[in-house]
Amino acid sequence: MLNLVILISGRGSNMQAIHRAILEGKLSVKISLILSNNPQAAGLTYAREHKIPTAVVEKMPGESRDDFDGRVIEKIESVPVDIIALAGYMRILSKKFVERFKNKIVNIHPALLPAFPGLHAQRQALEAGASQSGCTVHFVDEGCDTGPIIDQRVVEVKPGDTEESLSARILEQEHQLYSECLQLIAEGRIKVEGKKVRILK
Ligand code: GRF
């Protein structure tokens, strides 16, 4: 079974949805570690309550991105790891990190990439007057939300939507999509070909 390490910084609702999918038998991976850069992350409480191994690696003042990522990599490699899922992890990964785990790091983004990358994607969609947005699961490359796309879900933007209401509707889809994509990876059905992902039948 694939060993999954999940990186979080906060609430961790995607991490919880992944864990639930495992318990429900919809996702066959083993979570070997939940790592947070933020000791206060609410997701850590859930992980501890469910006896999932956790680790905290906090950035030290003045520490370079490379040195910090070096410590994160060390923690990750102290457990069995086949795939790393970013789930609300609020740090840009260094080149060194991305290269070390090439095509093994996935992320979920609350918009239909390549539209609205970066922070506040739901707000960006509203401000642009988009009639549709959604979420994307993609492999992580050196850019910000630019890696090969695995799958997406469309969510309608409704008149009167606020950032909160749109985010909540997108989040429901995120919770399903992430586990589905991880299951495809677990089944060995994802092939990365340059910028494109092929899903094997
Ligand atoms: C989600 O909207 C995800 O798409 C984005 O950050 C948020 C994390 O939420 N990358 P949670 O911590 O999983 O609840």
Side-chain angles (χ1 to χ4, degrees):
M1 195 167 319
L2 283 194
N3 290 291
L4 175 70
V5 170
I6 306 180
L7 268 49
I8 64 169
S9 296
R11 179 176 61 181
S13 72
N14 277 289
M15 176 265 288
Q16 292 182 36
I18 291 167
H19 181 243
R20 272 198 308 276
I22 295 172
L23 296 179
E24 288 165 7
K26 295 177 187 160
L27 174 58
S28 19
V29 300
K30 183 175 186 300
I31 302 178
S32 52
L33 184 67
I34 306 283
L35 184 147
S36 174
N37 66 313
N38 168 15
Q40 311 301 336
L44 285 172
T45 309
Y46 173 92
R48 289 178 186 129
E49 279 170 9
H50 290 81
K51 311 268 185 276
I52 307 168
T54 58
V56 174
V57 181
E58 224 180 332
K59 188 171 175 305
M60 296 186 297
E63 188 179 26
S64 72
R65 189 190 300 275
D66 260 16
D67 288 351
F68 172 73
D69 274 358
R71 292 196 293 123
V72 173
I73 292 169
E74 207 175 298
K75 265 283 179 243
I76 291 175
E77 289 184 334
S78 72
V79 299
V81 54
D82 301 297
I83 189 98
I84 298 169
L86 309 184
Y89 184 64
M90 299 304 287
R91 292 195 55 88
I92 308 263
L93 306 187
S94 61
K95 189 167 185 256
K96 155 174 156 177
F97 196 151
V98 173
E99 279 174 359
R100 178 73 143 250
F101 299 104
K102 192 166 165 51
N103 293 337
K104 290 200 163 109
I105 311 173
V106 290
N107 180 43
I108 184 145
H109 182 75
L112 296 175
L113 293 172
F116 314 129
L119 290 175
H120 309 300
Q122 303 94 332
R123 192 190 305 167
Q124 291 184 53
L126 287 172
E127 284 173 359
S131 60
Q132 294 185 324
S133 193
C135 51
T136 304
V137 174
H138 64 94
F139 285 104
V140 174
D141 67 9
E142 278 164 40
C144 175
D145 301 322
T146 51
I149 291 173
I150 302 173
D151 202 1
Q152 304 185 293
R153 285 287 178 282
V154 175
V155 172
E156 191 194 342
V157 180
K158 296 186 176 161
D161 252 340
T162 59
E163 193 178 345
E164 289 66 35
S165 63
L166 178 60
S167 299
R169 273 206 319 290
I170 292 174
L171 195 63
E172 275 179 41
Q173 298 303 314
E174 291 183 38
H175 290 167
Q176 293 175 28
L177 183 67
Y178 216 170
S179 301
E180 287 173 21
C181 290
L182 289 169
Q183 181 59 20
L184 288 175
I185 295 172
E187 289 171 8
R189 290 173 55 199
I190 299 279
K191 254 194 126 189
V192 186
E193 296 171 343
K195 273 294 280 180
K196 290 196 185 152
V197 166
R198 195 149 59 90
I199 300 177
L200 308 174
K201 293 276 169 217

